[in-house]
Amino acid sequence: EYRWKGPFYFIQGADPQFGLMKAWAVGDTNNGDDEWGEEIKLAEQAVHAINKLNPKPKFFVLCGDLIHGMPGTQWRKDQEKDLKNVLKNTDPDIPLVFVSGNHDIGNTPTRETIDNYCKNWGDDYFSFWVGGVFFLVLNSQLYFDSSKCPELKQAQDVWLNEQLAVAGKHKYKHIIVFQHIPLFLRKPDEDHDYFNLEKSVRQEIMEKFHKAGIFSDF
């Protein structure tokens, strides 16, 4: 859908993170995620509400931390299974789009953790067009710490440059980027902390986006 066909909407969610609520309540975010009944209820409510929408959203995107269990932890597979059981009840006319977060592939991802994610949820970075709008999904963990898989970060960088070049040849209405870790929370020049990307990395990405017309209002 390269051509603009008029206004539409999509639904964005993030951090269903099955297991977090119990882990947070008991103060053990590493091993306390052995219950996630409340998260199941909340996810079911979200799916029910989305299915009732009319007109339907073009898609439903979940921007990372699908489950709480980090790679290799005890309850991870059960959390993934239960989330899939909830999401499979989403109206089949509403496509699901998944974005990887640190709990999905690790704070320091490896080729193995990314491969496992891709087998479960789909590619860790990709692009698609809807109604003349170009959407990019990025693996932001590769920008956070790619020390164990630098070749994968390089591959995403090459791909992103290619995608922005292709997008520039089309008369797109908008470009929208999805990623788990935001470039910044409030200001482009804010200090780095756990919840944004390091300044030099942020600046490099923002320069690419500016050239492609993204963030043109900042």
Side-chain angles (χ1 to χ4, degrees):
E1 298 185 3
Y2 293 99
R3 295 182 180 178
W4 175 251
K5 299 179 180 179
F8 64 88
Y9 77 102
F10 58 87
I11 299 294
Q12 181 183 21
D15 300 70
Q17 206 158 339
F18 280 25
L20 173 62
M21 295 176 76
K22 166 70 181 304
W24 186 265
V26 300
D28 184 357
T29 56
N30 293 321
N31 303 296
D33 58 332
D34 58 342
E35 295 177 12
W36 47 91
E38 286 300 312
E39 289 93 322
I40 290 176
K41 290 179 183 178
L42 291 170
E44 288 175 341
Q45 290 174 14
V47 169
H48 180 69
I50 290 169
N51 287 344
K52 291 174 63 178
L53 292 170
N54 185 24
K56 290 180 172 60
K58 282 287 191 176
F59 58 87
F60 174 28
V61 57
L62 279 170
C63 285
D65 282 1
L66 306 175
I67 47 95
H68 183 70
M70 288 282 194
T73 55
Q74 183 176 1
W75 307 107
R76 181 179 176 85
K77 289 184 179 180
D78 289 336
Q79 292 167 0
E80 289 178 334
K81 178 181 177 182
D82 285 350
L83 177 58
K84 289 180 180 181
N85 283 336
V86 174
L87 293 177
K88 73 181 182 182
N89 294 315
T90 307
D91 187 319
D93 291 330
I94 304 174
L96 295 171
V97 178
F98 298 106
V99 181
S100 62
N102 58 307
H103 282 264
D104 306 308
I105 60 176
N107 286 318
T108 304
T110 66
R111 179 175 290 275
E112 180 182 11
T113 64
I114 292 176
D115 285 347
N116 287 336
Y117 170 86
C118 292
K119 290 175 184 176
N120 272 295
W121 303 103
D123 291 341
D124 59 320
Y125 59 88
F126 55 95
S127 64
F128 59 99
W129 290 84
V130 174
V133 176
F134 188 49
F135 293 90
L136 290 166
V137 172
L138 299 181
N139 180 345
S140 57
Q141 291 308 128
L142 293 176
Y143 296 122
F144 182 79
D145 184 357
S146 62
S147 58
K148 293 185 178 179
C149 55
E151 74 284 359
L152 298 184
K153 177 185 180 298
Q154 182 180 8
Q156 179 174 246
D157 287 340
V158 170
W159 171 86
L160 178 58
N161 291 338
E162 292 172 348
Q163 293 297 305
L164 294 176
V166 169
K169 296 178 181 178
H170 292 274
K171 294 182 179 179
Y172 57 80
K173 185 70 172 179
H174 305 285
I175 298 180
I176 295 176
V177 181
F178 296 122
Q179 60 190 66
H180 181 65
I181 305 175
L183 296 176
F184 56 88
L185 299 179
R186 295 178 180 85
K187 299 184 297 181
D189 61 347
E190 68 191 15
D191 291 337
H192 168 61
D193 64 26
Y194 182 76
F195 295 103
N196 60 18
L197 290 178
E198 194 274 329
K199 274 190 172 182
S200 63
V201 175
R202 182 193 316 165
Q203 188 63 36
E204 180 182 348
I205 298 172
M206 287 179 60
E207 287 177 2
K208 291 181 181 182
F209 287 172
H210 274 296
K211 290 179 181 178
I214 308 175
F215 293 159
S216 58
D217 292 335
F218 282 84

